[in-house]
Amino acid sequence: GGFVACTFKRGIDYINVPTSLLAMVDASVGGKTGVDLGTLKNQVGIISNPKMVLVDPWFLGSLPVAQLRSGYAEMLKHGLIADQSYWQELNKNRYDDLNGVGRLIHHSIEIKNKVVLEDPREDHARKALNFGHTLGHAIESHFMNKTVDLQLLHGEAIAIGMILATYLSQEICGLAKDQTIQITHGIFQYYEKINFTNKDIEDIVDLLKYDKKNSHGQIYFVLLKEIGKPIIDKKATNDLIFNAFDFYKNFSK
Ligand SMILES: NC(=O)c1ccc[n+]([C@@H]2O[C@H](COP(=O)([O-])OP(=O)(O)OC[C@H]3O[C@@H](n4cnc5c(N)ncnc54)[C@H](O)[C@@H]3O)[C@@H](O)[C@H]2O)c1
Ligand SMILES: [Zn+2]
């Protein structure tokens, strides 16, 4: 909707009224609007802020549970990149428990808003919001080509991407092993393990080159030094990415 508003007649004002958890904590804030090209995510888009964002958690009462779980991944991401105690709090909570969800949504929006105001055009700090998204988007695109029962919701793909990025963080940025395990357990308590074949993994690594955050053929990741402390623009070799999938496959939940 935002993309249509800001391209129709070269742009008209609009208000975002998100009705899904994902849209409340992520899509409605920050001014990024765009559309997918085929299975490639967000290839055409523009940054333009709504006049207002109106969030009412009442809408979530009718949202399918899988959609709540999908949105929750972005909230977990907010904890991981900005606030260790928020991450711990989310871990004690259930994504389908709507009591008190308004306060959590508020905190997530605060985290996202702070990052976005600091760096609206994603030159530095805002990149942290892409934690889990480099591989997550490739995974989402890969499964879009499959039958409906194999497709993943955005947050479900991002949850996998965050586990893979956590392993890369341990190997590249010295994230402590106990934090790697804590994050992976934390995510797996909500998200089923997906079965990746070697062919799936090869195709996913191949798709990374379409990520629009890449420059000059180089793929960059957001990784963690510790929970709440992201590091942007880190490179990872393909070998390490394959190892990350091994870590995901072999982790006992
Ligand atoms: N701009 C950004 O920064 C950003 C970030 C993340 C995602 N996105 C984009 O935003 C979109 C995701 O938004 P979304 O998750 O709201 O998708 P969506 O609008 O497709 O909603 C998901 C599903 O939930 C249903 N639904 C929504 N609200 C409901 C409610 N209150 N009760 C019952 N059913 C309800 C919808 O009909 C749909 O079937 C995607 O296109 C994604 O690419 C943008
Ligand atoms: Zn996302």
Side-chain angles (χ1 to χ4, degrees):
F3 180 74
V4 173
C6 54
T7 49
F8 180 67
K9 297 192 174 182
R10 300 203 177 89
I12 54 171
D13 290 344
Y14 67 101
I15 293 173
N16 277 339
V17 186
T19 62
S20 73
L21 184 58
L22 184 82
M24 287 176 188
V25 297
D26 191 12
S28 65
V29 185
K32 275 195 190 179
T33 69
V35 291
D36 301 343
L37 273 191
T39 57
L40 299 178
K41 297 283 293 173
N42 308 323
Q43 293 286 300
V44 176
I46 189 167
I47 294 186
S48 148
N49 277 298
K51 284 281 167 233
M52 187 192 288
V53 181
L54 267 175
V55 174
D56 189 339
W58 173 83
F59 284 111
L60 301 178
S62 58
L63 191 69
V65 172
Q67 294 287 345
L68 284 174
R69 191 167 55 227
S70 174
Y72 208 69
E74 300 287 357
M75 298 167 79
L76 292 168
K77 178 193 78 180
H78 292 143
L80 289 173
I81 61 162
D83 186 340
Q84 163 132 235
S85 61
Y86 183 50
W87 156 257
Q88 308 285 8
E89 186 181 357
L90 291 170
N91 266 279
K92 290 187 209 115
N93 199 60
R94 279 204 54 89
Y95 56 80
D96 54 357
D97 178 3
L98 297 180
N99 289 317
V101 74
R103 194 178 50 79
L104 298 176
I105 292 170
H106 193 272
H107 194 56
S108 263
I109 293 175
E110 262 174 359
I111 291 174
K112 176 155 188 188
N113 218 19
K114 181 165 177 281
V115 175
V116 167
L117 288 175
E118 203 182 313
D119 174 25
R121 297 215 53 92
E122 201 165 314
D123 296 318
H124 45 96
R126 185 168 182 170
K127 290 182 182 174
L129 290 166
N130 295 321
F131 180 64
H133 282 62
T134 307
L135 277 155
H137 272 152
I139 291 167
E140 191 180 0
S141 293
H142 175 70
F143 285 99
M144 268 185 207
N145 296 320
K146 306 238 169 184
T147 53
V148 174
D149 57 314
L150 285 175
Q151 289 183 8
L152 292 173
L153 295 177
H154 177 71
E156 293 170 328
I158 296 316
I160 301 168
M162 291 196 291
I163 292 176
L164 300 171
T166 296
Y167 173 83
L168 295 177
S169 301
Q170 178 190 280
E171 297 302 304
I172 297 170
C173 303
L175 178 70
K177 265 209 165 83
D178 64 313
Q179 295 217 338
T180 304
I181 290 169
Q182 187 200 127
I183 296 170
T184 310
H185 264 302
I187 296 174
F188 268 137
Q189 71 175 309
Y190 302 119
Y191 302 88
E192 285 296 311
K193 197 184 266 196
I194 300 297
N195 190 22
F196 291 100
T197 64
N198 288 343
K199 176 81 171 67
D200 286 330
I201 297 170
E202 279 163 22
D203 289 352
I204 289 162
V205 172
D206 209 40
L207 276 171
L208 286 176
K209 57 176 177 283
Y210 295 108
D211 195 291
K212 63 187 176 320
K213 279 108 198 168
N214 295 337
S215 64
H216 306 103
Q218 186 61 57
I219 293 145
Y220 293 100
F221 290 85
V222 178
L223 301 178
L224 300 175
K225 198 159 45 181
E226 54 186 272
I227 297 175
K229 302 257 155 54
I231 313 185
I232 60 170
D233 291 339
K234 299 302 283 186
K235 296 177 199 168
T237 61
N238 278 3
D239 279 352
L240 217 45
I241 297 172
F242 285 113
N243 291 351
F245 276 97
D246 281 341
F247 169 79
Y248 175 89
K249 283 174 151 185
N250 298 329
F251 193 86
S252 49
K253 289 175 73 174

